[in-house]
Amino acid sequence: MAKHDDLHILSALERKVLWLASWMIHNANHLRENTDGLKVGGHQASSASLATIMTALYFDVLKPEDRVAVKPHASPIFHAIQYLLGKQTRERMEAFRGYKGAQSYPSRTKDVDDVDFSTGSVGLGVAQTLFSSLVQDYVRAHGWGTDRPEGRMVALIGDAELDEGNIFEALLEGWKQGLRNCWWIIDYNRQSLDAVVREGLWERYELLFTNFGWNVVIVKYGSLQQAAFREPGGDKLKTWIDNCPNPLYSALVFAGGAAWRKRLNDEIGDQGDVSRLIAKRSDAELAALMNNLGGHDLPALLEAFHAAKSDKPTCFICYTVKGFGLPMAGHKDNHAGLMTPAQMDVYRKAQNVREGHEWDKFEGLSIATDDVQAFLSRVPFAQGGERRLPAPAIPVPDKLQVAIQPTMSTQAGFGNILNEIGRGDDDFAQRIVTTSPDVTVSTNLGPWVNRRGLFAREAMADTFKSESIPSTFHWEFSPKGQHIELGIAEANLFINLSALGLSHTINGVRLLPIGTLYDPFIARGLDQLNYACYQDARFMVVATPSGITLAGEGGAHQSIAQPLIGMAQDGLAAFEPAYVDELAVIMAFAFAYLQKSGGEVSERNWLRDETGGSVYLRLSTRPVEQPQRTMSDELAQEIVDGAYWLRRPGPNAQVVVAYTGAIAPEAIAAVGLMAEDRRDIGLLALTSADRLNAGWTAAQRARERGLVHARSHIERLLDEVPPGCAIVTVLDGHPATLAWLGAVGGHRTRSLGVEHFGQTGTLADLYRHYGIDAQAIIAAAQAIAPGRPIRHLRAL
């Protein structure tokens, strides 16, 4: 518990934080020039409900090792706190929600102040803290990062945010994994965007968290209320508060002291002691008493937070008022409501802030500036120095070993590559951590897990092995295991990858995370994938099986749009190799790419290879004949850049076929058949439509800026294609993935692919049905570049 003098300063800082946050939003909406004609927005009421809680945490409770995911709508409160701690600038707060200003929602990548976890897509930051706590345990169990104390992973949650299903998926996984050192603090203001929450919801929360093994602490009554309850008649007042419906309580908060008095007298007055309790308080004092919920009372909060010393996960349900301390407090329409200029002027005067001094750090405080500054300089949270921890890069072998069979799938190749890595025990092999949502075996991670084991904080034997029952997989759980097995929840997979992929900056320990799942189910975790990339988490997602090539599974398991997701997702480099030797090159590149940071666009390929990012591999279960070739440095570079000529076009080429992924045999067969009737036909192997497209658009922007020499990899490749030549593109995915190729050099293009949900059948059936087999490629070439009649079309 804070000392009396500190409590006095904390109370002043609470008011100051709320003022700065409210003024920041007001300035953005009323004082800053707005040329768009669009509402700038902000959440004065939602920020206000967390002002006291965040003041208690950041200025007293939190330690340097603790990490926080701030409720998205409390971003202004966060920025105000950082400003007082010297980690945010006035200029950026003045530009709140403007160009390069303080962000609408806390952002690791866009804000300059110490954002631990980005928030914005509600519920995701909450789950992130849970998985970050599990990752902290993983790191420390492996003997790393023990030079720093364990931190608590803290989520500040709006009660309406708990409607998000991914939170409950995470809760279940946390129970399975033995979650520790995690706090979830619920801002229980009982109001959402459109409504007031249902009665008794706190009881459901309490039961839910208790069942999952959490401690639950309810902070409902403030100091004033607790004192009043000890007065004669206080028990009746407490009973009335406990039974008051949420909408009524909110309405009375907004209506004020006189409304409180009338309602209380009508419902519990004329009872002697309680009537005197009410009568001896002025309207203002009565309103202060009734509004004094635990979430707005520093002593009550500090007592609850400091009493939670166990590492057991803890949920604090803190009763608050939405808009507390502001004119719209309690009103059901206050979510996006803004104070009018007149209201803000009244509020400014009440805070003793002089006009023209609204941004001054210590303006309006009745405490000496030196005393406040001295207090801020000893705040525990600010004592640890730089919060973005450094972590050295892990050396990656120049080439990854793999035994390539004459016929093989890329999925099998992936498993073999990891199995070979698993044979070693160098730092590279030790830092790889894999995870999968109950599809470990079917995504070919089994051999790796056999070698490296499953992770658990406490060892668990393989019962089948101990009972001498034969099994292909000998899986034992231990603190040294390197695979984290998850339940069937892709949302959890991507949040786990996000947490693993931030370990280098959160824990100061670099990991090389790999997550596997079926390609179509990327869509089930797409919000979480986007969130992870937005945070600049670094990981490799291996999606397999993919496409209608998963013939027998039908439309539910056959992906279509995923190649376009790979192209469109910022922070994610997508690859779709056809051959295992290509995959080995790409994975070696990827392990290094995950660790890059900073740097400029490379003028060799116009990609941000020095900046780095995460990687998406779209693989297949289709066995294809593997090429017998030597992997030269030049070919390896082209594979990484996105494409190479499998057959160079000649000067009289009429048609080029461009393919990606498992459809390679059909493209090769079509070119072989057409070559009997056409001269100089070319075959372009694409390993990454994403990187080709990104390099091309970046080179165009560079030329528009005056860098006339800028040429991308795909432009150099297509320079070899005669102007009158046509291009046929084909892949086991949406045809738009490659349709843009014709725009690079102005070539006529026909793009083949899959646009509708698949069905079961053989590969021949499905490829013919969707028009991506060899005959369809030939027919497309004939239609777009008519030549002599081709005898092979007679079979169509």
Side-chain angles (χ1 to χ4, degrees):
M1 176 67 73
K3 301 187 296 291
H4 175 75
D5 288 347
D6 286 354
L7 194 60
H8 185 50
I9 294 176
L10 283 170
S11 181
L13 289 173
E14 173 197 5
R15 295 191 301 274
K16 187 64 187 179
V17 164
L18 180 56
W19 161 259
L20 286 170
S22 302
W23 179 254
M24 196 186 315
I25 298 168
H26 181 80
N27 178 75
N29 285 275
H30 293 289
L31 302 180
R32 199 169 67 214
E33 183 181 7
N34 182 355
T35 58
D36 297 334
L38 300 174
K39 175 185 173 183
V40 177
H43 299 87
Q44 287 175 328
S46 290
S47 289
S49 64
L50 264 175
T52 317
I53 292 172
M54 291 178 68
T55 295
L57 288 171
Y58 279 97
F59 294 127
D60 187 271
V61 176
L62 295 176
K63 294 181 170 58
E65 59 270 19
D66 297 332
R67 302 286 180 167
V68 185
V70 175
K71 185 182 81 168
H73 293 155
S75 172
I77 295 288
F78 174 79
H79 294 309
I81 289 172
Q82 296 294 308
Y83 178 55
L84 293 175
L85 291 173
K87 296 183 178 295
Q88 178 60 277
T89 66
R90 170 177 170 173
E91 291 72 26
R92 287 182 178 270
M93 293 207 306
E94 288 190 75
F96 174 66
R97 291 192 168 215
Y99 183 60
K100 294 191 174 180
Q103 292 295 293
S104 313
Y105 310 114
S107 170
R108 282 185 60 86
T109 55
K110 306 300 181 185
D111 274 318
V112 298
D113 40 5
D114 271 333
V115 176
D116 293 319
F117 304 116
S118 299
T119 52
S121 186
V122 294
L124 299 188
V126 181
Q128 175 83 46
T129 60
L130 183 150
F131 281 99
S132 290
S133 182
L134 297 179
V135 170
Q136 179 178 245
D137 282 346
Y138 177 92
V139 165
R140 299 176 76 85
H142 285 76
W144 306 315
T146 55
D147 55 326
R148 301 179 70 252
E150 287 184 333
R152 291 166 295 196
M153 305 297 164
V154 181
L156 301 172
I157 313 169
D159 49 8
E161 203 169 357
L162 283 169
D163 287 344
E164 290 288 342
N166 75 278
I167 290 177
F168 302 100
E169 293 179 10
L171 266 178
L172 180 58
E173 198 62 53
W175 173 78
K176 293 177 185 176
Q177 304 285 346
L179 177 67
R180 304 183 312 127
N181 293 317
C182 189
W183 282 11
W184 286 3
I185 302 171
I186 300 174
D187 174 15
Y188 193 55
N189 61 42
R190 291 151 292 161
Q191 288 182 249
S192 63
L193 183 83
D194 295 326
V196 178
V197 303
R198 294 292 188 270
E199 299 301 328
L201 190 59
W202 69 271
E203 294 173 305
R204 306 282 80 76
Y205 292 157
E206 182 180 27
L207 184 62
L208 176 74
F209 282 95
T210 300
N211 284 343
F212 278 118
W214 290 53
N215 286 329
V216 178
V217 178
I218 299 174
V219 187
K220 183 171 184 178
Y221 314 109
S223 302
L224 294 179
Q225 290 187 350
Q226 292 177 43
F229 298 158
R230 291 192 291 270
E231 296 179 25
D235 56 334
K236 294 183 176 63
L237 178 64
K238 181 178 182 296
T239 299
W240 186 91
I241 290 174
D242 289 343
N243 293 331
C244 182
N246 290 335
L248 176 59
Y249 210 97
S250 295
L252 291 171
V253 166
F254 178 76
W260 278 115
R261 186 178 306 281
K262 183 178 186 309
R263 178 66 65 163
L264 290 171
N265 282 331
D266 286 348
E267 297 192 3
I268 59 173
D270 299 325
Q271 296 187 43
D273 290 340
V274 71
S275 298
R276 285 189 289 274
L277 186 155
I278 297 167
K280 74 178 184 179
R281 288 168 169 84
S282 68
D283 284 353
E285 290 170 337
L286 186 59
L289 171 64
M290 300 305 292
N291 295 356
N292 179 232
L293 298 175
H296 296 304
D297 187 81
L298 284 167
L301 288 168
L302 293 172
E303 181 181 5
F305 291 150
H306 284 298
K309 299 184 183 301
S310 167
D311 67 1
K312 190 174 181 179
T314 302
C315 172
F316 298 88
I317 301 175
C318 300
Y319 278 70
T320 60
V321 172
K322 194 166 186 175
F324 181 77
L326 304 180
M328 74 276 279
H331 197 288
K332 71 181 182 67
D333 299 338
N334 65 12
H335 180 83
L338 298 171
M339 282 189 277
T340 66
Q343 288 175 320
M344 179 55 76
D345 193 53
V346 171
Y347 181 51
R348 178 183 61 78
K349 292 174 181 175
Q351 298 303 308
N352 297 317
V353 174
R354 293 169 294 168
E355 196 168 357
H357 293 266
E358 292 86 355
W359 297 104
D360 294 0
K361 282 188 177 181
F362 305 122
E363 177 70 11
L365 298 183
S366 59
I367 305 170
T369 297
D370 289 347
D371 291 342
V372 179
Q373 188 59 62
F375 175 88
L376 292 173
S377 67
R378 65 175 186 269
V379 165
F381 180 74
Q383 302 306 307
E386 181 60 47
R387 293 176 58 74
R388 302 283 178 98
L389 302 179
I394 306 301
V396 177
D398 293 333
K399 293 184 179 180
L400 299 181
Q401 300 301 312
V402 58
I404 301 178
Q405 304 300 319
T407 300
M408 198 174 191
S409 71
T410 49
Q411 176 178 296
F414 164 72
N416 286 4
I417 290 169
L418 270 189
N419 187 42
E420 290 300 317
I421 294 173
R423 293 179 187 274
D425 203 35
D426 57 3
D427 208 21
F428 171 60
Q430 290 176 6
R431 295 303 180 95
I432 292 175
V433 52
T434 59
T435 185
S436 187
D438 205 38
V439 289
T440 297
V441 174
S442 52
T443 55
N444 273 57
L445 276 177
W448 161 265
V449 178
N450 264 355
R451 292 191 181 280
R452 311 304 291 199
L454 294 105
F455 172 73
R457 285 179 41 244
E458 297 180 0
M460 291 183 285
D462 183 336
T463 302
F464 274 65
K465 181 179 179 181
S466 62
E467 294 295 323
S468 302
I469 299 174
S471 173
T472 305
F473 303 105
H474 308 296
W475 291 2
E476 294 184 340
F477 289 85
S478 79
K480 298 302 178 185
Q482 289 180 241
H483 177 75
I484 300 174
E485 183 70 1
L486 302 173
I488 309 174
E490 285 76 13
N492 282 344
L493 169 72
F494 286 115
I495 294 291
N496 191 31
L497 286 173
S498 179
L500 291 164
L502 287 175
S503 178
H504 58 286
T505 183
I506 297 294
N507 300 302
V509 175
R510 190 177 297 278
L511 300 174
L512 300 174
I514 301 174
T516 66
L517 77 167
Y518 291 2
D519 192 54
F521 301 139
I522 283 179
R524 293 181 62 173
L526 192 53
D527 193 17
Q528 289 77 10
L529 171 61
N530 180 69
Y531 171 69
C533 291
Y534 180 62
Q535 297 206 96
D536 199 24
R538 302 302 181 86
F539 53 87
M540 187 187 307
V541 55
V542 179
T544 180
S546 64
I548 63 168
T549 301
L550 188 59
E553 297 282 346
H557 280 188
Q558 296 171 0
S559 56
I560 298 172
Q562 276 62 24
L564 296 174
I565 292 172
M567 291 181 69
Q569 179 60 58
D570 189 20
L572 190 70
F575 294 87
E576 187 170 358
Y579 301 115
V580 175
D581 62 352
E582 297 171 352
L583 176 62
V585 168
I586 290 167
M587 287 183 67
F589 163 81
F591 283 122
Y593 184 75
L594 301 184
Q595 304 182 69
K596 301 287 187 180
S597 62
E600 301 294 329
V601 171
S602 167
E603 293 195 13
R604 180 184 54 77
N605 57 12
W606 294 97
L607 294 169
R608 296 182 294 174
D609 284 356
E610 293 308 310
T611 302
S614 291
V615 172
Y616 161 32
L617 306 181
R618 187 176 192 247
L619 305 184
S620 175
T621 50
R622 183 189 186 187
V624 299
E625 185 178 348
Q626 299 294 306
Q628 301 299 310
R629 58 187 175 185
T630 300
M631 184 57 66
S632 66
D633 291 343
E634 179 183 5
L635 176 57
Q637 187 61 63
E638 288 192 306
I639 288 170
V640 165
D641 287 345
Y644 63 95
W645 287 112
L646 201 57
R647 174 175 175 154
R648 291 185 180 277
N652 299 306
Q654 295 176 315
V655 174
V656 162
V657 174
Y659 75 89
T660 190
I663 207 72
E666 282 64 36
I668 292 169
V671 166
L673 291 170
M674 287 190 288
E676 297 179 16
D677 301 289
R678 294 179 183 268
R679 300 174 56 192
D680 293 350
I681 192 168
L683 181 60
L684 183 63
L686 277 76
T687 52
S688 176
D690 175 29
R691 284 171 60 81
L692 287 180
N693 183 267
W696 174 52
T697 56
Q700 290 178 93
R701 286 193 298 269
R703 290 196 292 270
E704 290 158 5
R705 294 195 305 268
L707 300 176
V708 294
H709 67 282
R711 299 285 288 169
S712 66
H713 181 54
I714 189 59
E715 288 173 308
R716 289 192 294 270
L717 287 172
L718 295 185
D719 279 345
E720 301 185 39
V721 179
C725 184
I727 301 176
V728 176
T729 71
V730 61
L731 80 157
D732 183 2
H734 198 282
T737 308
L738 304 180
W740 57 274
L741 282 173
V744 176
H747 298 97
R748 288 167 295 135
T749 302
R750 171 76 170 97
S751 295
L752 306 179
V754 181
E755 298 178 81
H756 303 289
F757 293 118
Q759 54 186 296
T760 56
T762 66
L763 283 183
D765 290 337
L766 297 187
Y767 283 8
R768 181 171 58 251
H769 177 80
Y770 289 100
I772 57 173
D773 63 351
Q775 292 292 338
I777 296 170
I778 294 170
Q782 180 66 8
I784 198 171
R788 290 183 302 164
I790 299 175
R791 59 182 177 274
H792 305 294
L793 287 176
R794 294 170 191 157
L796 290 175

